[in-house]
Coordinates of all heavy atoms in Angstrom, one line a residue:
M1306 N -166.6 -23.9 -83.2 CA -166.6 -23.7 -84.6 C -165.2 -23.8 -85.1 O -164.3 -22.9 -85.0 CB -167.1 -22.3 -85.0 CG -168.6 -22.2 -84.8 SD -169.5 -22.9 -86.2 CE -169.5 -21.6 -87.4
K1307 N -164.9 -24.9 -85.7 CA -163.6 -25.3 -86.2 C -163.1 -24.4 -87.3 O -162.0 -24.2 -87.5 CB -163.8 -26.7 -86.8 CG -162.5 -27.4 -87.1 CD -162.8 -28.9 -87.3 CE -162.4 -29.4 -88.6 NZ -162.9 -30.7 -88.9
N1308 N -164.1 -23.8 -88.1 CA -163.7 -23.0 -89.2 C -163.4 -21.5 -88.9 O -163.1 -20.7 -89.8 CB -164.7 -23.1 -90.3 CG -164.7 -24.5 -91.0 OD1 -163.6 -25.1 -91.0 ND2 -165.8 -25.0 -91.4
T1309 N -163.6 -21.1 -87.7 CA -163.4 -19.7 -87.3 C -161.9 -19.4 -87.5 O -161.1 -20.1 -86.9 CB -163.8 -19.5 -85.9 OG1 -165.2 -19.8 -85.7 CG2 -163.7 -18.0 -85.5
P1310 N -161.6 -18.5 -88.3 CA -160.1 -18.2 -88.5 C -159.5 -17.6 -87.2 O -160.1 -16.7 -86.6 CB -160.1 -17.2 -89.6 CG -161.5 -16.7 -89.8 CD -162.4 -17.6 -89.1
E1311 N -158.4 -18.2 -86.9 CA -157.7 -17.7 -85.7 C -156.6 -16.7 -86.1 O -155.9 -17.0 -87.1 CB -157.1 -18.9 -84.9 CG -157.3 -18.7 -83.4 CD -156.8 -19.9 -82.7 OE1 -155.8 -20.5 -83.1 OE2 -157.4 -20.3 -81.7
R1312 N -156.5 -15.7 -85.4 CA -155.4 -14.7 -85.7 C -154.4 -14.6 -84.6 O -154.7 -14.9 -83.5 CB -156.1 -13.3 -85.9 CG -157.3 -13.2 -86.8 CD -156.9 -13.7 -88.2 NE -158.1 -13.5 -89.1 CZ -158.1 -14.0 -90.3 NH1 -157.1 -14.7 -90.8 NH2 -159.2 -13.8 -91.0
T1313 N -153.2 -14.2 -85.0 CA -152.2 -14.1 -84.0 C -151.7 -12.7 -83.9 O -151.4 -12.1 -84.9 CB -151.0 -15.0 -84.3 OG1 -151.5 -16.4 -84.5 CG2 -149.9 -15.0 -83.2
C1314 N -151.6 -12.1 -82.7 CA -151.1 -10.8 -82.5 C -149.6 -10.7 -82.8 O -148.9 -11.5 -82.3 CB -151.4 -10.3 -81.1 SG -150.7 -8.8 -80.7
I1315 N -149.2 -9.7 -83.7 CA -147.8 -9.6 -84.0 C -147.0 -9.0 -82.9 O -145.8 -9.1 -82.9 CB -147.6 -8.8 -85.3 CG1 -148.2 -7.4 -85.1 CG2 -148.2 -9.5 -86.5 CD1 -147.8 -6.4 -86.2
A1316 N -147.6 -8.5 -81.9 CA -146.9 -7.9 -80.7 C -146.7 -9.0 -79.6 O -145.6 -9.2 -79.2 CB -147.6 -6.7 -80.2
C1317 N -147.8 -9.6 -79.1 CA -147.7 -10.5 -78.0 C -147.9 -12.0 -78.4 O -147.7 -12.8 -77.6 CB -148.7 -10.1 -76.9 SG -150.4 -10.5 -77.4
H1318 N -148.2 -12.2 -79.7 CA -148.3 -13.6 -80.2 C -149.5 -14.4 -79.6 O -149.5 -15.6 -79.7 CB -147.0 -14.3 -80.1 CG -145.9 -13.6 -80.8 ND1 -145.8 -13.5 -82.2 CD2 -144.9 -12.9 -80.3 CE1 -144.7 -12.7 -82.5 NE2 -144.2 -12.4 -81.3
K1319 N -150.4 -13.7 -79.0 CA -151.6 -14.3 -78.4 C -152.5 -14.6 -79.6 O -152.6 -13.8 -80.5 CB -152.2 -13.4 -77.4 CG -153.1 -14.0 -76.4 CD -153.5 -13.0 -75.4 CE -154.5 -12.0 -75.9 NZ -154.9 -11.0 -74.9
K1320 N -153.2 -15.7 -79.5 CA -154.2 -16.0 -80.6 C -155.6 -15.7 -80.1 O -155.9 -15.7 -78.9 CB -154.1 -17.5 -80.9 CG -152.8 -17.9 -81.6 CD -152.8 -19.3 -82.1 CE -151.5 -19.5 -82.9 NZ -151.1 -20.8 -82.9
G1321 N -156.4 -15.4 -81.1 CA -157.8 -15.1 -80.7 C -158.7 -14.9 -81.9 O -158.2 -15.0 -83.1
D1322 N -159.9 -14.5 -81.7 CA -160.8 -14.2 -82.7 C -160.5 -12.9 -83.4 O -160.0 -12.0 -82.8 CB -162.2 -14.1 -82.1 CG -163.3 -14.1 -83.1 OD1 -163.6 -13.0 -83.7 OD2 -163.9 -15.1 -83.4
K1323 N -160.7 -12.8 -84.7 CA -160.3 -11.6 -85.4 C -161.0 -10.4 -85.0 O -160.5 -9.3 -85.2 CB -160.5 -11.8 -86.9 CG -161.9 -12.0 -87.4 CD -161.9 -12.0 -88.9 CE -163.4 -12.2 -89.4 NZ -163.4 -12.2 -90.9
R1324 N -162.2 -10.5 -84.3 CA -162.8 -9.3 -83.8 C -162.1 -8.6 -82.7 O -162.3 -7.5 -82.4 CB -164.2 -9.7 -83.2 CG -165.3 -9.9 -84.3 CD -166.5 -10.5 -83.7 NE -166.2 -11.8 -83.0 CZ -167.1 -12.5 -82.5 NH1 -168.4 -12.2 -82.5 NH2 -166.8 -13.7 -81.9
D1325 N -161.1 -9.4 -82.1 CA -160.3 -8.8 -81.0 C -159.1 -8.1 -81.5 O -158.3 -7.5 -80.7 CB -159.9 -9.8 -80.0 CG -161.1 -10.5 -79.4 OD1 -162.2 -9.9 -79.3 OD2 -161.0 -11.7 -79.1
F1326 N -158.9 -8.0 -82.8 CA -157.7 -7.5 -83.4 C -158.0 -6.3 -84.3 O -159.1 -6.2 -84.9 CB -157.0 -8.6 -84.2 CG -156.5 -9.7 -83.4 CD1 -157.2 -10.9 -83.3 CD2 -155.3 -9.6 -82.7 CE1 -156.7 -11.9 -82.5 CE2 -154.8 -10.6 -81.9 CZ -155.5 -11.8 -81.8
V1327 N -156.9 -5.5 -84.5 CA -156.9 -4.5 -85.5 C -156.2 -5.1 -86.7 O -155.1 -5.7 -86.5 CB -156.2 -3.2 -85.0 CG1 -156.2 -2.1 -86.1 CG2 -156.9 -2.7 -83.8
R1328 N -156.7 -5.0 -87.9 CA -156.0 -5.6 -89.0 C -155.3 -4.5 -89.8 O -155.8 -3.4 -90.0 CB -157.1 -6.2 -90.0 CG -156.5 -6.9 -91.1 CD -157.5 -7.7 -91.9 NE -156.9 -8.5 -92.9 CZ -157.2 -8.4 -94.2 NH1 -158.0 -7.5 -94.6 NH2 -156.6 -9.2 -95.1
I1329 N -154.1 -4.8 -90.2 CA -153.2 -3.9 -91.0 C -152.9 -4.7 -92.3 O -152.6 -5.9 -92.2 CB -151.9 -3.5 -90.3 CG1 -152.2 -2.9 -88.9 CG2 -151.1 -2.5 -91.1 CD1 -152.0 -3.9 -87.7
V1330 N -153.0 -4.0 -93.4 CA -152.9 -4.7 -94.6 C -151.8 -4.0 -95.5 O -151.7 -2.8 -95.5 CB -154.2 -4.7 -95.4 CG1 -154.1 -5.1 -96.8 CG2 -155.2 -5.6 -94.7
K1331 N -151.1 -4.9 -96.2 CA -150.2 -4.4 -97.2 C -150.9 -4.6 -98.5 O -151.2 -5.7 -98.9 CB -148.9 -5.2 -97.2 CG -147.9 -4.7 -98.3 CD -146.6 -5.5 -98.2 CE -145.7 -5.1 -99.3 NZ -144.4 -5.8 -99.1
T1332 N -151.2 -3.5 -99.2 CA -152.0 -3.5 -100.5 C -151.1 -4.0 -101.6 O -149.9 -4.1 -101.5 CB -152.6 -2.2 -100.8 OG1 -151.5 -1.3 -101.2 CG2 -153.3 -1.6 -99.7
S1333 N -151.7 -4.3 -102.7 CA -151.0 -4.7 -103.9 C -150.0 -3.7 -104.4 O -149.0 -3.9 -105.1 CB -151.9 -5.2 -105.0 OG -152.9 -4.2 -105.2
E1334 N -150.3 -2.4 -104.0 CA -149.4 -1.3 -104.4 C -148.2 -1.2 -103.4 O -147.4 -0.3 -103.5 CB -150.1 0.0 -104.4 CG -151.0 0.2 -105.6 CD -152.4 -0.4 -105.3 OE1 -152.9 -0.3 -104.2 OE2 -153.0 -1.0 -106.2
G1335 N -148.2 -2.1 -102.3 CA -147.1 -2.0 -101.4 C -147.3 -1.0 -100.3 O -146.4 -0.7 -99.5
Q1336 N -148.5 -0.5 -100.2 CA -148.9 0.5 -99.1 C -149.4 -0.2 -97.9 O -150.1 -1.2 -98.0 CB -149.9 1.4 -99.6 CG -149.4 2.5 -100.6 CD -150.1 3.8 -100.4 OE1 -151.4 3.8 -100.4 NE2 -149.4 4.8 -100.1
I1337 N -149.0 0.3 -96.7 CA -149.5 -0.3 -95.5 C -150.6 0.6 -95.0 O -150.5 1.8 -94.8 CB -148.3 -0.3 -94.4 CG1 -147.1 -0.9 -95.0 CG2 -148.8 -0.9 -93.1 CD1 -147.2 -2.4 -95.2
V1338 N -151.8 0.0 -94.8 CA -152.9 0.7 -94.4 C -153.7 0.0 -93.3 O -153.6 -1.3 -93.2 CB -153.9 0.9 -95.6 CG1 -153.3 1.8 -96.6 CG2 -154.4 -0.4 -96.2
L1339 N -154.4 0.7 -92.5 CA -155.3 0.1 -91.5 C -156.5 -0.4 -92.2 O -157.1 0.4 -93.0 CB -155.7 1.1 -90.4 CG -154.6 1.6 -89.4 CD1 -155.3 2.4 -88.3 CD2 -153.8 0.4 -88.8
D1340 N -156.9 -1.6 -91.9 CA -158.1 -2.1 -92.5 C -159.2 -2.2 -91.5 O -159.4 -3.2 -90.8 CB -157.8 -3.5 -93.1 CG -159.0 -4.1 -93.7 OD1 -160.0 -3.4 -94.0 OD2 -159.0 -5.3 -93.9
K1341 N -160.0 -1.1 -91.4 CA -161.1 -1.1 -90.4 C -162.3 -2.0 -90.8 O -163.0 -2.4 -89.9 CB -161.6 0.4 -90.2 CG -160.5 1.2 -89.6 CD -161.0 2.6 -89.5 CE -159.9 3.6 -89.1 NZ -160.3 5.0 -89.1
T1342 N -162.4 -2.3 -92.0 CA -163.6 -3.1 -92.5 C -163.2 -4.6 -92.4 O -164.1 -5.4 -92.4 CB -164.0 -2.7 -93.9 OG1 -162.9 -3.0 -94.8 CG2 -164.4 -1.3 -94.0
G1343 N -161.9 -4.9 -92.5 CA -161.5 -6.3 -92.5 C -161.7 -6.9 -93.9 O -161.7 -8.1 -94.0
K1344 N -161.9 -6.1 -94.9 CA -162.3 -6.6 -96.2 C -161.3 -6.3 -97.3 O -161.4 -6.6 -98.4 CB -163.6 -6.1 -96.6 CG -164.7 -6.7 -95.8 CD -166.1 -6.3 -96.3 CE -167.2 -7.0 -95.5 NZ -168.1 -6.1 -94.9
L1345 N -160.2 -5.5 -96.9 CA -159.3 -5.2 -97.9 C -158.4 -6.4 -98.4 O -158.1 -7.2 -97.6 CB -158.3 -4.1 -97.4 CG -158.8 -2.7 -97.3 CD1 -157.8 -1.8 -96.7 CD2 -159.3 -2.1 -98.6
N1346 N -158.1 -6.4 -99.6 CA -157.3 -7.5 -100.1 C -155.8 -7.1 -99.8 O -155.4 -6.0 -99.7 CB -157.4 -7.6 -101.7 CG -158.7 -8.2 -102.0 OD1 -159.2 -9.1 -101.3 ND2 -159.3 -7.7 -103.1
G1347 N -155.1 -8.2 -99.7 CA -153.6 -8.0 -99.4 C -153.2 -8.8 -98.2 O -154.0 -9.5 -97.6
R1348 N -151.9 -8.7 -98.0 CA -151.4 -9.5 -96.9 C -151.7 -8.8 -95.6 O -151.4 -7.6 -95.4 CB -149.9 -9.6 -97.1 CG -149.1 -10.5 -96.2 CD -147.7 -10.6 -96.6 NE -146.8 -10.5 -95.4 CZ -146.7 -11.6 -94.5 NH1 -147.3 -12.7 -94.8 NH2 -145.9 -11.5 -93.5
G1349 N -152.3 -9.5 -94.6 CA -152.7 -8.8 -93.4 C -151.9 -9.2 -92.2 O -151.2 -10.3 -92.2
A1350 N -151.8 -8.3 -91.3 CA -151.2 -8.6 -90.0 C -152.2 -8.1 -88.9 O -153.0 -7.3 -89.2 CB -149.9 -7.8 -89.8
Y1351 N -152.1 -8.7 -87.8 CA -153.0 -8.4 -86.7 C -152.4 -8.0 -85.4 O -151.3 -8.6 -85.1 CB -153.9 -9.7 -86.5 CG -154.7 -10.0 -87.7 CD1 -154.2 -10.8 -88.7 CD2 -156.0 -9.6 -87.8 CE1 -154.9 -11.1 -89.8 CE2 -156.7 -9.9 -89.0 CZ -156.2 -10.7 -90.0 OH -156.9 -11.0 -91.1
V1352 N -153.0 -7.1 -84.8 CA -152.5 -6.7 -83.4 C -153.7 -6.5 -82.5 O -154.8 -6.1 -83.0 CB -151.6 -5.4 -83.5 CG1 -152.3 -4.2 -84.0 CG2 -151.0 -5.1 -82.1
C1353 N -153.6 -7.0 -81.3 CA -154.7 -6.9 -80.4 C -155.2 -5.4 -80.3 O -154.4 -4.5 -80.3 CB -154.3 -7.3 -78.9 SG -153.7 -8.9 -78.7
A1354 N -156.5 -5.3 -80.2 CA -157.0 -3.9 -80.0 C -156.8 -3.4 -78.6 O -157.8 -3.1 -77.9 CB -158.5 -3.9 -80.4
S1355 N -155.6 -3.5 -78.2 CA -155.3 -3.0 -76.8 C -154.1 -2.0 -76.9 O -153.2 -2.1 -77.7 CB -155.0 -4.1 -75.9 OG -153.6 -4.6 -76.1
E1356 N -154.2 -1.0 -76.0 CA -153.2 0.0 -75.9 C -151.8 -0.6 -75.7 O -150.8 -0.2 -76.3 CB -153.5 0.9 -74.8 CG -153.2 2.4 -75.0 CD -153.6 3.2 -73.9 OE1 -154.8 3.1 -73.5 OE2 -152.8 3.9 -73.3
E1357 N -151.8 -1.6 -74.9 CA -150.5 -2.2 -74.5 C -149.8 -2.9 -75.8 O -148.6 -2.7 -76.0 CB -150.8 -3.3 -73.5 CG -149.6 -3.7 -72.7 CD -149.9 -4.9 -71.8 OE1 -151.1 -5.1 -71.5 OE2 -149.0 -5.6 -71.4
C1358 N -150.6 -3.6 -76.5 CA -150.0 -4.3 -77.7 C -149.7 -3.3 -78.8 O -148.7 -3.5 -79.4 CB -151.0 -5.3 -78.2 SG -150.9 -6.9 -77.3
I1359 N -150.4 -2.3 -78.9 CA -150.1 -1.3 -80.0 C -148.9 -0.5 -79.6 O -148.0 -0.3 -80.4 CB -151.3 -0.4 -80.2 CG1 -152.3 -1.3 -81.1 CG2 -151.0 0.8 -81.0 CD1 -153.7 -0.7 -81.2
R1360 N -148.7 -0.3 -78.3 CA -147.5 0.4 -77.8 C -146.3 -0.6 -78.1 O -145.2 -0.1 -78.5 CB -147.6 0.7 -76.4 CG -146.8 2.0 -76.0 CD -146.8 2.3 -74.5 NE -148.2 2.5 -74.0 CZ -148.7 1.9 -72.9 NH1 -147.9 1.1 -72.2 NH2 -149.9 2.2 -72.6
L1361 N -146.5 -1.8 -77.7 CA -145.4 -2.8 -77.9 C -145.1 -3.0 -79.4 O -143.9 -3.1 -79.8 CB -145.9 -4.2 -77.3 CG -144.9 -5.3 -77.2 CD1 -143.8 -4.9 -76.2 CD2 -145.6 -6.6 -76.8
C1362 N -146.1 -2.9 -80.2 CA -145.9 -3.0 -81.6 C -145.0 -1.9 -82.2 O -144.1 -2.1 -83.0 CB -147.3 -3.0 -82.2 SG -147.4 -3.2 -84.0
K1363 N -145.3 -0.7 -81.7 CA -144.5 0.4 -82.1 C -143.1 0.3 -81.6 O -142.1 0.6 -82.3 CB -145.2 1.7 -81.6 CG -144.4 3.0 -82.1 CD -145.2 4.2 -81.8 CE -144.4 5.4 -82.4 NZ -145.1 6.7 -82.1
K1364 N -143.0 -0.1 -80.3 CA -141.6 -0.1 -79.7 C -140.7 -1.2 -80.4 O -139.5 -0.9 -80.6 CB -141.9 -0.5 -78.2 CG -140.7 -0.3 -77.3 CD -141.1 -0.6 -75.9 CE -139.8 -1.1 -75.2 NZ -140.2 -1.8 -73.9
T1365 N -141.3 -2.3 -80.8 CA -140.5 -3.3 -81.4 C -140.6 -3.3 -82.9 O -140.0 -4.1 -83.6 CB -141.0 -4.7 -80.9 OG1 -142.4 -4.9 -81.4 CG2 -141.0 -4.9 -79.4
H1366 N -141.3 -2.3 -83.4 CA -141.5 -2.2 -84.9 C -142.0 -3.6 -85.5 O -141.4 -4.0 -86.5 CB -140.2 -1.8 -85.6 CG -139.9 -0.3 -85.3 ND1 -139.0 0.0 -84.3 CD2 -140.4 0.8 -85.7 CE1 -138.9 1.3 -84.2 NE2 -139.8 1.9 -85.0
A1367 N -142.9 -4.1 -84.8 CA -143.4 -5.4 -85.2 C -144.0 -5.4 -86.6 O -143.9 -6.4 -87.3 CB -144.5 -5.9 -84.2
L1368 N -144.5 -4.3 -87.0 CA -145.1 -4.2 -88.4 C -144.0 -4.3 -89.4 O -144.2 -4.9 -90.5 CB -145.9 -2.9 -88.6 CG -147.3 -2.9 -88.0 CD1 -147.9 -1.5 -88.2 CD2 -148.2 -3.9 -88.6
N1369 N -142.9 -3.7 -89.1 CA -141.8 -3.8 -90.1 C -141.4 -5.2 -90.3 O -141.1 -5.6 -91.4 CB -140.5 -3.0 -89.5 CG -140.8 -1.5 -89.3 OD1 -141.9 -1.1 -89.0 ND2 -139.8 -0.7 -89.6
R1370 N -141.4 -6.0 -89.2 CA -141.0 -7.4 -89.4 C -142.1 -8.2 -90.1 O -141.8 -9.0 -90.9 CB -140.8 -8.0 -88.0 CG -139.4 -7.6 -87.4 CD -139.0 -8.6 -86.3 NE -140.0 -8.9 -85.4 CZ -140.2 -8.2 -84.2 NH1 -139.4 -7.2 -83.9 NH2 -141.2 -8.5 -83.4
A1371 N -143.3 -7.9 -89.7 CA -144.4 -8.6 -90.3 C -144.5 -8.4 -91.8 O -144.8 -9.4 -92.6 CB -145.8 -8.2 -89.7
F1372 N -144.2 -7.2 -92.3 CA -144.3 -6.9 -93.7 C -142.9 -6.9 -94.4 O -142.8 -6.6 -95.6 CB -145.0 -5.6 -93.9 CG -146.5 -5.6 -93.5 CD1 -147.0 -4.9 -92.5 CD2 -147.3 -6.5 -94.2 CE1 -148.3 -4.9 -92.1 CE2 -148.7 -6.5 -93.8 CZ -149.2 -5.8 -92.8
K1373 N -141.9 -7.1 -93.6 CA -140.5 -7.1 -94.1 C -140.2 -5.8 -94.9 O -139.6 -5.8 -96.0 CB -140.3 -8.3 -95.0 CG -140.4 -9.6 -94.2 CD -140.1 -10.8 -95.1 CE -140.0 -12.1 -94.4 NZ -141.3 -12.5 -93.8
Q1374 N -140.6 -4.7 -94.4 CA -140.3 -3.4 -95.0 C -140.5 -2.3 -93.9 O -141.0 -2.5 -92.9 CB -141.2 -3.1 -96.2 CG -142.7 -2.8 -95.8 CD -143.5 -2.4 -96.9 OE1 -143.8 -3.1 -97.9 NE2 -144.0 -1.1 -96.9
D1375 N -140.0 -1.1 -94.2 CA -140.1 0.0 -93.3 C -141.6 0.4 -93.3 O -142.2 0.6 -94.3 CB -139.3 1.2 -93.7 CG -137.8 1.0 -93.3 OD1 -137.6 0.2 -92.4 OD2 -137.0 1.6 -93.9
V1376 N -142.1 0.6 -92.1 CA -143.4 1.1 -91.9 C -143.3 2.4 -91.1 O -142.6 2.5 -90.1 CB -144.3 0.1 -91.1 CG1 -145.7 0.7 -90.8 CG2 -144.4 -1.2 -91.8
S1377 N -143.9 3.5 -91.7 CA -143.7 4.8 -91.1 C -144.4 4.9 -89.8 O -145.4 4.2 -89.5 CB -144.2 5.9 -92.1 OG -145.6 5.8 -92.1
D1378 N -143.9 5.8 -89.0 CA -144.4 6.1 -87.6 C -145.9 6.5 -87.7 O -146.6 6.3 -86.8 CB -143.6 7.2 -86.9 CG -142.3 6.6 -86.3 OD1 -142.2 5.4 -86.3 OD2 -141.5 7.4 -85.9
E1379 N -146.2 7.1 -88.8 CA -147.6 7.5 -89.1 C -148.6 6.4 -88.9 O -149.7 6.6 -88.3 CB -147.6 8.1 -90.5 CG -148.8 9.0 -90.8 CD -148.9 9.3 -92.2 OE1 -147.8 9.5 -92.8 OE2 -150.0 9.4 -92.8
I1380 N -148.2 5.2 -89.4 CA -149.1 4.1 -89.3 C -149.2 3.6 -87.9 O -150.3 3.3 -87.4 CB -148.5 2.9 -90.2 CG1 -148.4 3.3 -91.7 CG2 -149.4 1.7 -90.1 CD1 -149.7 3.7 -92.3
Y1381 N -148.1 3.6 -87.2 CA -148.2 3.2 -85.8 C -149.0 4.2 -85.0 O -149.7 3.8 -84.1 CB -146.7 3.2 -85.2 CG -145.9 2.0 -85.7 CD1 -144.9 2.1 -86.7 CD2 -146.2 0.7 -85.2 CE1 -144.2 1.1 -87.1 CE2 -145.4 -0.4 -85.7 CZ -144.4 -0.2 -86.6 OH -143.7 -1.3 -87.1
D1382 N -148.9 5.5 -85.3 CA -149.6 6.5 -84.6 C -151.1 6.4 -84.9 O -152.0 6.6 -84.1 CB -149.2 7.9 -85.0 CG -147.8 8.2 -84.4 OD1 -147.4 7.5 -83.4 OD2 -147.1 9.1 -84.9
K1383 N -151.4 6.0 -86.2 CA -152.8 5.8 -86.5 C -153.4 4.6 -85.8 O -154.5 4.6 -85.3 CB -152.9 5.5 -88.0 CG -153.3 6.7 -88.9 CD -153.6 6.2 -90.3 CE -153.3 7.3 -91.3 NZ -153.3 6.8 -92.7
L1384 N -152.6 3.6 -85.6 CA -153.0 2.4 -84.9 C -153.3 2.8 -83.4 O -154.3 2.4 -82.9 CB -151.8 1.4 -84.8 CG -151.8 0.2 -85.6 CD1 -150.6 -0.6 -85.3 CD2 -153.1 -0.7 -85.4
A1385 N -152.4 3.6 -82.9 CA -152.6 4.0 -81.5 C -153.9 4.8 -81.3 O -154.5 4.8 -80.2 CB -151.4 4.9 -81.0
S1386 N -154.3 5.5 -82.3 CA -155.5 6.3 -82.2 C -156.8 5.5 -82.4 O -157.9 5.9 -82.2 CB -155.5 7.5 -83.3 OG -155.6 6.9 -84.6
E1387 N -156.6 4.2 -82.7 CA -157.7 3.3 -82.9 C -158.2 2.7 -81.6 O -159.3 2.1 -81.5 CB -157.4 2.1 -83.8 CG -157.2 2.5 -85.2 CD -158.5 3.0 -85.8 OE1 -159.5 2.4 -85.8 OE2 -158.5 4.2 -86.3
V1388 N -157.4 2.8 -80.5 CA -157.8 2.2 -79.3 C -158.1 3.2 -78.2 O -157.7 4.4 -78.3 CB -156.8 1.2 -78.7 CG1 -156.8 -0.1 -79.6 CG2 -155.4 1.8 -78.6
Ligands
ZN1649 ZN1 -151.4 -8.7 -78.5

């Protein structure tokens, strides 16, 4: 399926189907939120739904880079609780 959107993990840069990722969205209000439904509007970033990548994401502050702003530890901790 050529039209299946491919996502790239912001921690390990591996590509894959969006079902394998946790989506994080920056809303129009500039808030960073976890998007469990995959339907929120806004700029999205993806990280593999694996403990390893989420740990790596926190360690390297990959979300800060993805969204070009400070992302609180709370968000990283929430991510960690998703896997
Ligand atoms: Zn990954």
Side-chain angles (χ1 to χ4, degrees):
M1306 287 284 277
K1307 189 166 126 191
N1308 290 329
T1309 305
E1311 220 177 38
R1312 310 301 184 190
T1313 306
C1314 173
I1315 56 170
C1317 70
H1318 305 289
K1319 201 171 71 182
K1320 289 186 176 158
D1322 190 277
K1323 66 175 181 178
R1324 281 171 303 185
D1325 301 330
F1326 295 98
V1327 180
R1328 184 172 189 242
I1329 305 100
V1330 168
K1331 181 177 175 175
T1332 68
S1333 50
E1334 288 86 38
Q1336 285 216 303
I1337 308 293
V1338 294
L1339 290 189
D1340 180 16
K1341 291 179 193 177
T1342 63
K1344 289 182 177 129
L1345 284 179
N1346 287 322
R1348 190 177 137 73
Y1351 297 84
V1352 61
C1353 300
S1355 78
E1356 218 177 303
E1357 202 188 338
C1358 276
I1359 285 167
R1360 209 184 304 132
L1361 189 66
C1362 183
K1363 184 172 182 178
K1364 198 176 146 198
T1365 62
H1366 291 99
L1368 283 176
N1369 298 37
R1370 284 204 309 271
F1372 292 116
K1373 297 184 173 66
Q1374 70 173 66
D1375 280 338
V1376 177
S1377 72
D1378 281 351
E1379 197 188 323
I1380 300 296
Y1381 289 103
D1382 290 340
K1383 263 191 208 166
L1384 255 183
S1386 67
E1387 288 299 304
V1388 289

